């Protein structure tokens, strides 16, 4: 009979075999190392407790943080056309891109800061030398323009006050429309001035021609060896032609000004006004943060247990190595 010392017991090969295990055989006198599943079962309550504590702490912190409300206005931007001459439309540069950058330009920010007293709202001391820079930076970060398509722009205003976010979004829409209307009126005035100058020069030339025609008629009446009826008829034809050119210029100017005022006074139209943020909930957000944190914490702890199961002895030897000792 074989003695117990010479007997070898067959054992399945498992991960995490300790030094007493060799080639899948467990020698007598050595205990079998626990499996990874067994380690998970032994540590499950500790993992669950730690993950719950971490999730509860993050959820409470999220509840303590102030909410961030958002109100969005959607604008439809049309390319204004100011013809260089009647019947020949030429698009002015900019529209959607210009509006995108104007939503956070200095003029808009200054008007919002003054209208809503944002320096006090943000709690910035007036004696602070950088008070204007601080409040401007906070407001600029709170405004988020976003392209929706080739003609639509959405502008979102963020703030911890739901009503203030709504009011600033609607005020921003009105400011942008006012600026666009003022810019269009200025372009129209410049174009009208251009055509007025052209008309004045045309009238001046007509007066010069009238003076020459009058001199020609006077010369024909005084007699000069030619038939006076021929000179008078020629003078009348030239006078009619000059008057027709002047009338055409006046009519083109009237049509141009009327068309611009009727069709292009509103290059920006409102698709959707800003609405209060009714979907934001601190409780819902806190629950989402807590659940996400719980899942991440549990996964991290399980990964730590698995790492210790496979490489725990190596890590211990590395920590106890002479090179790490002082």
């Amino acid at each position: 009979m074989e003695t117990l010392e010479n007997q070898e017991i067959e054992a399945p090969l498992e991960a995490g075999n300790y030094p007493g295990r060799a080639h899948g055989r467990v020698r007598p006198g050595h205990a079998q190392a626990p499996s990874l599943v067994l380690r998970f079962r032994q540590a499950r309550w500790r993992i669950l407790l730690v993950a719950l504590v971490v999730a509860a702490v993050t959820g409470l912190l999220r509840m303590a943080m102030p909410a961030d409300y958002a109100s969005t206005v959607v604008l439809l931007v049309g390319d204004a056309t100011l013809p260089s001459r009647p019947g020949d439309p030429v698009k002015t540069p900019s529209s959607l891109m210009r509006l995108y950058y104007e939503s956070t330009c200095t003029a808009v920010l200054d008007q919002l800061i003054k209208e809503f007293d944002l320096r006090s709202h943000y709690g910035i001391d007036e004696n602070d030398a950088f008070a204007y820079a601080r409040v401007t930076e906070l407001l600029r970060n709170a405004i988020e323009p976003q392209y929706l398509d080739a003609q639509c722009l959405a502008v979102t205003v963020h703030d911890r006050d739901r009503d203030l976010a709504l009011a600033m979004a609607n005020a921003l829409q009105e400011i942008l429309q006012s600026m666009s209307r003022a810019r269009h009126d200025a372009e129209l005035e410049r174009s009208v001035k251009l055509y007025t100058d052209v008309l004045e020069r045309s009238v001046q030339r007509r007066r010069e021609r009238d003076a020459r025609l009058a001199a020609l008629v006077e010369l024909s009446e005084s007699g000069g060896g030619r038939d006076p009826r021929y000179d008078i008829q020629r003078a009348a034809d030239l006078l009619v032609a000059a008057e027709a050119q002047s009338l055409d210029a006046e009519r083109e100017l009237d049509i141009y000004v009327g068309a611009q005022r009727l069709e292009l006074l509103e290059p920006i139209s409102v698709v959707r006004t800003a609405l209060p943020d009714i979907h934001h909930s601190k409780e819902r957000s806190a629950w989402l943060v807590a659940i996400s944190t719980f899942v991440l914490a549990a996964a991290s702890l399980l990964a730590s247990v698995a790492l210790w199961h496979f490489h725990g002895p190596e890590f211990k030897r590395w920590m106890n190595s002479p090179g790490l000792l002082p």
Side-chain angles (χ1 to χ4, degrees), residues 209-227:
R209 286 193 297 268
D210 291 346
R212 290 194 295 269
L213 290 173
L216 180 60
V217 171
E218 184 179 354
L219 178 63
S220 63
E221 289 178 350
S222 62
R226 292 182 300 180
D227 187 359

Side-chain angles (χ1 to χ4, degrees), residues 71-87:
S71 291
T72 302
V73 60
V74 179
L75 303 174
L76 178 65
V77 186
D79 283 332
T81 59
L82 291 176
S84 58
R85 63 177 183 273

Side-chain angles (χ1 to χ4, degrees), residues 24-303:
R25 301 176 183 272
V26 178
R27 297 188 178 278
H30 293 278
Q32 183 178 357
S35 65
L36 181 59
V37 176
L38 182 59
R39 286 188 183 276
F40 284 159
R41 292 181 60 186
Q42 292 173 347
R44 64 183 183 277
W45 295 115
R46 283 174 289 182
I47 293 174
L48 180 62
L49 179 61
V50 172
L52 285 175
V53 170
V54 174
V57 170
T58 55
L60 292 175
L61 289 176
R62 183 64 187 90
M63 282 291 295
M65 294 174 61
D68 181 23
Y69 298 100
S71 291
T72 302
V73 60
V74 179
L75 303 174
L76 178 65
V77 186
D79 283 332
T81 59
L82 291 176
S84 58
R85 63 177 183 273
D88 183 17
V90 177
K91 289 185 178 181
T92 58
S94 86
S95 12
L96 190 65
M97 183 176 295
R98 174 157 52 184
L99 187 66
Y100 178 90
Y101 290 107
E102 280 185 347
S103 62
T104 55
C105 70
T106 302
V108 172
L109 298 180
D110 289 345
Q111 192 165 343
L112 290 175
I113 291 171
K114 181 179 179 181
E115 181 176 352
F116 296 100
D117 191 17
L118 296 181
R119 183 175 298 179
S120 301
H121 174 68
Y122 291 139
I124 299 175
D125 188 4
E126 294 183 357
N127 298 323
D128 187 353
F130 300 98
Y132 175 77
R134 297 183 194 280
V135 68
T136 302
E137 182 180 3
L138 290 173
L139 180 58
R140 186 176 65 250
N141 294 334
I143 298 176
E144 181 186 0
Q146 181 181 8
Y147 294 115
L148 296 182
D149 53 37
Q151 285 188 293
C152 284
L153 182 74
V155 184
T156 303
V157 179
H158 300 269
D159 198 83
R160 295 176 179 178
D161 186 336
R162 179 190 284 115
D163 296 333
L164 184 59
L166 173 63
M168 284 198 295
N170 287 322
L172 182 63
Q173 158 211 319
E174 296 174 358
I175 293 172
L176 292 175
Q177 283 185 298
S178 176
M179 292 175 59
S180 178
R181 190 178 300 113
R183 181 176 60 253
H184 179 269
D185 290 344
E187 294 174 351
L188 181 60
E189 288 179 4
R190 288 194 295 268
S191 299
V192 170
K193 185 179 184 304
L194 171 63
Y195 281 100
T196 302
D197 294 340
V198 172
L199 183 60
E200 289 178 354
R201 289 193 296 270
S202 176
V203 171
Q204 181 63 29
R205 287 192 294 267
R206 186 187 66 180
R207 289 173 181 173
E208 295 174 356
R209 286 193 297 268
D210 291 346
R212 290 194 295 269
L213 290 173
L216 180 60
V217 171
E218 184 179 354
L219 178 63
S220 63
E221 289 178 350
S222 62
R226 292 182 300 180
D227 187 359
R229 291 177 299 176
Y230 172 78
D231 293 334
I232 292 174
Q233 184 63 40
R234 181 184 175 190
D237 293 341
L238 292 175
L239 184 62
V240 170
E243 185 67 20
Q245 291 178 358
S246 177
L247 291 176
D248 289 341
E250 292 178 359
R251 183 170 60 254
E252 288 180 353
L253 179 61
D254 291 339
I255 293 174
Y256 169 78
V257 174
Q260 294 302 309
R261 288 176 176 170
L262 286 175
E263 298 177 3
L264 299 173
L265 283 180
E266 293 294 338
I268 298 177
S269 57
V270 181
V271 177
R272 188 178 74 236
T273 57
L275 298 174
D277 188 353
I278 60 175
H279 301 288
H280 191 93
S281 172
K282 292 179 66 174
E283 292 79 7
R284 180 172 176 268
S285 178
W287 275 109
L288 290 176
V289 171
I291 293 174
S292 302
T293 306
F294 175 80
V295 172
L296 291 175
S300 300
L301 292 172
L302 289 173

